[in-house]
Amino acid sequence: MIRHIAAIDNQNGLAKNGGMPWSIPEDEQYFTDETKKYGGIVLTGIGTYKTFNKPLKDRTNYVLTHQTKPIPGAILVHDLETFFAETPGDIWVIGGAEVFNQTLHKADELYITRIDATFECDRFYPEFAENFSLASQSDVHTQNGLRFRYEIYRRNP
């Protein structure tokens, strides 16, 4: 199964100036807990990987990149179709925007943290409403003055 996990604002914004323009430690813990499930295989683009500055602990880190120089603690991916064909088990796609765009057609589930605010982001999560339906959502949470909820979407049959 291929799952996306992302936090987005009211305009599907993911990032601004190379980082997340919000701080929600509860959501960061949710991201950590969820991406360790189902085998802990994560796929990220090189730009997003650089924001972590190190491999994500207790997960197998794959990085989509054109570079050939090894990245300590990560496995390089140069072709998405080959990666999906040759990687058994469940995969978490964790960003960035371009990787979400390139893999949305493969995703079975979307784990979306929807933040009730607008941050004038410059990177956006792709539109998905046409192909996915809301399967579950949490109650509203509040942290650092921000209201948010966890939503899980499943691909329409």
Side-chain angles (χ1 to χ4, degrees), residues 23-41:
S23 174
I24 306 175
E26 180 183 327
D27 182 55
E28 292 170 19
Q29 187 62 53
Y30 175 78
F31 171 90
T32 298
D33 294 344
E34 292 301 316
T35 58
K36 287 181 179 180
K37 292 180 180 177
Y38 313 114
I41 295 172

Side-chain angles (χ1 to χ4, degrees), residues 9-62:
D9 73 3
N10 287 333
Q11 297 178 326
N12 284 10
L14 283 168
K16 183 176 182 177
N17 300 323
M20 289 190 308
W22 53 77
S23 174
I24 306 175
E26 180 183 327
D27 182 55
E28 292 170 19
Q29 187 62 53
Y30 175 78
F31 171 90
T32 298
D33 294 344
E34 292 301 316
T35 58
K36 287 181 179 180
K37 292 180 180 177
Y38 313 114
I41 295 172
V42 296
L43 171 67
T44 185
I46 187 68
T48 299
Y49 183 82
K50 287 179 179 177
T51 66
F52 300 143
N53 219 11
K54 62 184 176 190
L56 297 180
K57 187 178 176 189
D58 300 324
R59 284 155 282 187
T60 304
N61 292 257
Y62 288 89

